[in-house]
């Protein structure tokens, strides 16, 4: 009798556990405990908030409206009531950290509690995923039972930097696509949008003081077709676009409401050809250059004259006014040193500063920017080449050439964001099947992304604390349209979201795949042109 009872208890426990594993939330939460019963959302359900969560309450009402057709009331209220979604701060939950939350669903209602507003927002994202996936449809769905199973979710992220980089230089992305992407990041509890705004092939941010950066620098006369040796040559079509400061302000505010920080990148001293085309005095030679039309690394880089440093700091001043982000990205990658070697002015400058080679000159340049940003209360971040030749102590490093740069930076006491081309370059092929659209090369299938571990084993526990998190890179040489962008981004970002949010011990590729089948319906409902199973996808 007793063993029968024990057996029963065991069975119930196992089934509760499997059900918990199968709650189709992406990224997988820290802990889910199933209860009995469910909560039915009704037109009379009310959303109760406090001051700090009022905006999130309104966003939730907006998100629930299209598919249900319900216009839920959102009320500031300190008193709980039945049939409500009650979301408010609870300072006693400090253990959940700045972004964690507690979500409870019973027959009577839903409560979301968190020590900070970001956590409440993430609680609402989980709540949306606990409803049937049709909740993401953009038009009223009839005959759907809008129920949430009774349960308790306790959740918080593994890393503070959970990001994605969008390159809008190689191909411009309209602001609507930027907004859509921010929504999709927030849905995956990602909090960092790295916006690559300047490069050889286009300057995409309006700078009032230097109008030629966009009037000249945002437009290239044509674009290389295919890979480097493609006999088709060039397309003969001008390509361009940029964001005005007013547009950027709107996008930054939109992201802020969804707890996404936009980290702008102004590339220097390399990847500078569009800027040099606009203002030739920023270059090293008298040769006339035009906005880049091919991919790869150009030898035209900024000179290191004082006037150029001032120019770039003026650009940063306008950038800082638009972006509240603590981190400001200054690029720093792939700087060919040929022109500095050949330039008498650059050589004289090196001598005057007592620098032994061009690597030290690059380091000097980056340190000037670091001092400037630090003096303005910000922190510099750059690609891992900024480590070469010495780096200012407060600067952070984005490790892209594998893990090496990240390991070296963490060991030297710098904060690190992992962005290795071994696991996070979403410009690479997702499959070896025929029919994939042209990509830069490489092979980055979903499972490989999922397997990524951001903390390299070479680090001690203390050094590992330097790893702020990770992000994917969507370099857009071979990503010409928004649909193509979404095809490259999804579902790989869904996999990455578990890499950066879910505790390593809770990651599991097979439950991810079953949860993804449901998640895919959500993303499709939102009009995401992802790489879905073959019969149903549109290949760009
Ligand atoms: C290297 S990653 C670059 C980019 C290219 C990318 C293509 C990095 C810091 N620089 O300029 O777009 O490879 O994968």
């Amino acid at each position: 009798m007793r063993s029968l009872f024990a057996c029963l208890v065991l069975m119930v426990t196992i089934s509760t556990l499997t059900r918990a594993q199968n709650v189709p939330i992406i990224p997988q939460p820290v802990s889910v405990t199933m209860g009995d019963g469910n909560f039915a959302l009704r037109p009379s359900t009310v959303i109760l908030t406090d001051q700090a969560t009022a905006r999130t309450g309104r966003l939730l009402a907006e998100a629930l409206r299209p598919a249900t057709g319900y216009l839920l009331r959102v009320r500031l209220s300190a008193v709980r009531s039945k049939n409500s979604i009650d979301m408010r701060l609870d300072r006693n939950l400090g253990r959940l950290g700045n972004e964690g939350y507690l979500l409870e669903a019973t027959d009577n209602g839903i409560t979301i509690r968190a020590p900070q507003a970001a956590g409440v927002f993430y609680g609402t994202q989980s709540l949306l995923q606990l409803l049937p996936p049709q909740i993401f449809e953009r038009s009223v769905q009839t005959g759907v039972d809008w129920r949430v199973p009774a349960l308790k979710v306790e959740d918080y992220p593994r890393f503070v930097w959970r990001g994605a980089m969008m390159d809008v230089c190689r191909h411009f992305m309209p602001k609507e696509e930027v907004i859509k992407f921010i929504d999709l990041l927030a849905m995956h509890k990602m909090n960092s949008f790295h916006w690559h705004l300047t490069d050889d092939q286009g300057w995409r941010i309006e700078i009032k003081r230097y109008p030629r950066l966009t009037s000249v620098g945002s437009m290239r006369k044509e674009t290389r077709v295919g890979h480097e040796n493609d006999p088709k040559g060039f397309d003969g079509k001008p390509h361009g676009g940029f964001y005005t400061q007013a547009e950027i302000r709107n996008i930054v505010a939109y992201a802020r409401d969804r707890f996404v920080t936009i980290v702008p990148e102004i590339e220097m001293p390399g990847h500078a050809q569009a800027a040099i085309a606009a203002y030739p005095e920023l270059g090293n030679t008298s040769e006339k250059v035009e906005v880049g039309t091919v991919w790869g690394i150009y030898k035209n880089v900024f000179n290191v004259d004082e006037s150029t440093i001032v120019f770039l700091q003026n650009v940063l001043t306008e950038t800082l006014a638009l972006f509240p982000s603590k981190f400001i990205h200054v690029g720093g990658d792939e700087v060919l040193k040929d022109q500095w070697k050949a330039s008498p002015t650059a050589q004289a400058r090196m001598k005057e500063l007592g620098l032994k080679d061009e690597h030290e000159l690059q380091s000097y340049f980056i340190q000037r920017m670091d001092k400037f940003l630090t003096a303005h209360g910000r922190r510099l971040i750059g690609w891992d080449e900024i480590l070469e030749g010495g780096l200012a102590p407060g600067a952070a490093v984005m490790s892209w050439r594998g893990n090496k740069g990240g390991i070296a930076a963490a060991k030297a006491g710098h904060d690190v964001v992992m962005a290795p081309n071994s696991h996070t370059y979403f410009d690479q092929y997702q499959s070896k099947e025929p029919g994939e659209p042209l990509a830069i090369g490489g092979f980055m299938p979903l499972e490989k992304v999922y397997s990524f571990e951001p903390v390299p084993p070479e680090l001690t526990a203390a050094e590992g604390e330097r790893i702020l998190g990770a992000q994917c890179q969507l370099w857009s040489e071979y990503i010409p349209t928004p649909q193509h962008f979404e095809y490259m981004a999804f579902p790989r970002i869904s996999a990455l979201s578990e890499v950066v949010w879910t505790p390593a011990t809770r990651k599991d590729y097979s439950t991810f795949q079953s949860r993804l089948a449901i998640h895919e319906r959500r993303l499709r409902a939102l009009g995401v042109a992802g790489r879905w199973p073959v019969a149903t996808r549109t290949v760009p």
Side-chain angles (χ1 to χ4, degrees), residues 322-339:
L322 295 169
F323 297 95
S325 166
K326 184 82 177 170
F327 282 103
I328 302 292
H329 204 301
V330 298
D333 59 310
E334 301 180 323
V335 185
L336 293 183
K337 309 292 189 303
D338 311 39
Q339 293 190 341

Side-chain angles (χ1 to χ4, degrees), residues 87-297:
M87 50 170 91
R88 60 191 70 249
L89 299 189
D90 182 346
R91 304 286 177 199
N92 298 323
L93 291 175
R95 68 189 155 89
L96 296 176
N98 290 337
E99 299 176 294
Y101 65 93
L102 204 62
L103 180 154
E104 230 173 318
T106 68
D107 292 345
N108 287 331
I110 311 259
T111 57
I112 300 174
R113 296 283 181 273
Q116 303 286 338
V120 172
F121 178 80
Y122 292 136
T124 65
Q125 297 311 302
S126 290
L127 172 57
L128 289 168
Q129 297 193 19
L130 288 165
L131 284 158
Q134 295 95 312
I135 195 68
F136 290 92
E137 295 287 347
R138 305 288 80 198
S139 61
V140 176
Q141 306 293 299
T142 48
V144 184
D145 206 1
W146 303 112
R147 277 172 205 274
V148 178
L151 84 184
K152 194 169 167 174
V153 180
E154 181 165 330
D155 202 11
Y156 47 84
R158 180 174 173 204
F159 292 105
V160 297
W161 189 300
R162 305 180 301 279
M165 189 215 73
M166 183 190 238
D167 170 8
V168 293
C169 301
R170 276 53 180 272
H171 285 98
F172 181 67
M173 290 291 151
K175 58 179 188 298
E176 295 74 18
E177 186 64 12
V178 177
I179 289 282
K180 184 176 179 185
F181 192 50
I182 289 168
D183 271 327
L184 292 166
L185 291 178
M187 172 191 185
H188 287 86
K189 304 189 176 83
M190 311 264 280
N191 64 359
S192 178
F193 172 58
H194 171 177
W195 206 0
H196 184 79
L197 286 164
T198 75
D199 214 307
D200 300 303
Q201 300 84 359
W203 182 283
R204 309 276 177 234
I205 169 176
E206 177 190 29
I207 299 295
K208 303 244 191 221
R209 187 167 180 153
Y210 304 119
R212 287 174 60 84
L213 285 172
T214 43
S215 67
V216 175
S218 76
M219 186 63 75
R220 61 175 177 261
K221 68 169 194 266
E222 59 184 354
T223 304
R224 151 96 72 213
V225 178
H227 283 140
E228 206 169 315
N229 300 317
D230 195 306
K232 286 198 283 292
F234 291 83
D235 67 0
K237 286 187 248 160
H239 178 90
F242 68 92
Y243 311 97
T244 66
Q245 293 200 354
E247 288 169 339
I248 291 174
R249 277 203 187 85
N250 286 336
I251 292 170
V252 169
Y254 188 91
R256 183 205 53 210
D257 288 350
R258 289 151 184 84
F259 299 91
V260 172
T261 300
I262 306 189
V263 179
E265 178 179 356
I266 309 290
E267 270 266 22
M268 57 187 89
H271 287 287
Q273 185 150 317
I276 295 169
Y279 293 97
E281 63 272 27
L282 302 173
N284 293 279
T285 71
S286 52
E287 196 191 317
K288 183 163 167 29
V289 302
E290 48 184 36
V291 179
T293 58
V294 302
W295 317 126
I297 309 177

Side-chain angles (χ1 to χ4, degrees), residues 167 170 199 271 333-334 383 400 425 427 440 475 477:
D167 170 8
R170 276 53 180 272
D199 214 307
H271 287 287
D333 59 310
E334 301 180 323
W383 299 110
W400 75 276
Y425 271 46
D427 55 346
I440 196 163
W475 297 110
E477 289 95 331

